[in-house]
């Protein structure tokens, strides 16, 4: 019987060691149990958990739903409060954890190799995230800007324009480069100026 107790606590310790966290720079948003939503930046992540910076701090044990650029939807519970943010578990099936591990490996390698995608400019959450997008057929739809840089933006919308199609975000000529779980990403045809960026994308 003396051996039974140590054996019973081993799986939890092994679980903690099995997932190594990698440093990442991922933007997204998250929702706390009271349904308030906040923008966030993930600073490290493993297939089993992550740490993020954000303005809304939950309580330990609170359920959190997050939508992260490149990763999509994750959910879990707050496990620890850190400076300007918190750490949380990531609840996922073994299959989804394998997929997360592959995504995190790609993201970590992308940063190490300094690959250009989304790394050219810092991304911001605009003061006024509501925008008008004009499609190739001249129809317009109202969208929400998830985040924005001098070279592109992530857009939340129910309808996704076709990949590689040309659109106008405000008056900025853009091209759809990726579909996201909650919308799509666009790349600006011409790099924008920081001073006029938000005015240009909000211009109807």
């Amino acid at each position: 019987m003396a051996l039974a107790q140590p054996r019973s606590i081993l799986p939890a310790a092994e679980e903690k060691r099995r997932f190594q966290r990698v440093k990442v720079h991922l933007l997204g948003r998250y929702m706390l149990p009271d349904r308030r939503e906040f923008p966030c930046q993930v600073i490290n992540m493993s297939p089993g958990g992550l740490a993020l910076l954000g303005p809304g701090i939950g309580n330990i044990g609170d359920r959190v739903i997050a939508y992260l650029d490149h990763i999509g939807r994750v959910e879990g519970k707050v496990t620890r409060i850190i400076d300007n943010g918190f750490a949380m578990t990531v609840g996922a099936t073994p299959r989804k954890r394998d997929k997360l591990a592959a995504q995190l490996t790609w993201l970590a390698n992308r940063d190490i190799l300094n690959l250009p995608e989304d790394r050219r400019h810092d991304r911001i959450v605009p003061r006024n995230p509501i925008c008008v997008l004009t499609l190739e057929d001249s129809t317009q739809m109202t969208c929400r800007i998830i985040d924005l840089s001098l070279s592109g933006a992530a857009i939340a919308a129910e309808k996704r324009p076709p990949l590689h199609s040309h659109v106008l975000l405000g008056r900025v000529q853009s091209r759809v480069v990726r579909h996201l779980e909650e919308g799509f990403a666009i790349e600006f045809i011409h790099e924008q100026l920081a001073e006029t960026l938000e005015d240009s994308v909000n211009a109807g």
Side-chain angles (χ1 to χ4, degrees), residues 125-137:
V125 177
R127 292 187 300 273
N128 176 16
I130 305 304
C131 62
V132 174
L133 195 85
T134 305
L135 307 180
E136 279 187 332
D137 63 2

Side-chain angles (χ1 to χ4, degrees), residues 47 96-109:
K96 179 155 186 188
R97 284 189 172 173
D98 287 343
K99 183 182 175 186
L100 272 174
Q103 287 173 306
L104 290 170
T105 300
W106 180 82
L107 287 166
N109 289 339

Side-chain angles (χ1 to χ4, degrees), residues 28-32 34-40 54-57 86:
R29 61 187 177 87
Y30 62 98
M31 184 172 70
L32 296 176
D34 59 10
R35 304 195 70 80
R36 289 182 300 155
E37 290 189 21
F38 303 96
C40 66
I57 310 299
F86 57 86

Side-chain angles (χ1 to χ4, degrees), residues 30-145:
Y30 62 98
M31 184 172 70
L32 296 176
D34 59 10
R35 304 195 70 80
R36 289 182 300 155
E37 290 189 21
F38 303 96
C40 66
Q41 177 188 331
V42 176
I43 53 175
N44 65 59
M45 186 172 184
S46 80
L50 61 86
L52 63 78
L53 305 178
I57 310 299
N59 298 310
I60 290 176
D62 278 357
R63 182 168 174 261
V64 181
I65 299 173
Y67 291 90
L68 307 176
D69 198 11
H70 299 293
I71 299 293
R73 184 182 191 271
V74 296
E75 59 180 281
K77 291 184 177 178
V78 176
T79 56
R80 195 171 75 254
I81 306 301
I82 62 174
D83 286 344
N84 301 314
F86 57 86
M88 61 178 276
T89 59
V90 172
T93 61
R95 184 176 174 183
K96 179 155 186 188
R97 284 189 172 173
D98 287 343
K99 183 182 175 186
L100 272 174
Q103 287 173 306
L104 290 170
T105 300
W106 180 82
L107 287 166
N109 289 339
R110 184 193 67 175
D111 286 352
I112 291 167
L113 296 172
N114 198 27
L115 297 177
E117 187 200 10
D118 289 347
R119 303 287 13 183
R120 287 169 291 170
H121 302 107
D122 289 337
R123 290 183 166 244
I124 61 167
V125 177
R127 292 187 300 273
N128 176 16
I130 305 304
C131 62
V132 174
L133 195 85
T134 305
L135 307 180
E136 279 187 332
D137 63 2
S138 298
T139 59
Q140 293 186 325
M141 61 180 188
T142 302
C143 311
R144 182 174 57 80
I145 299 172

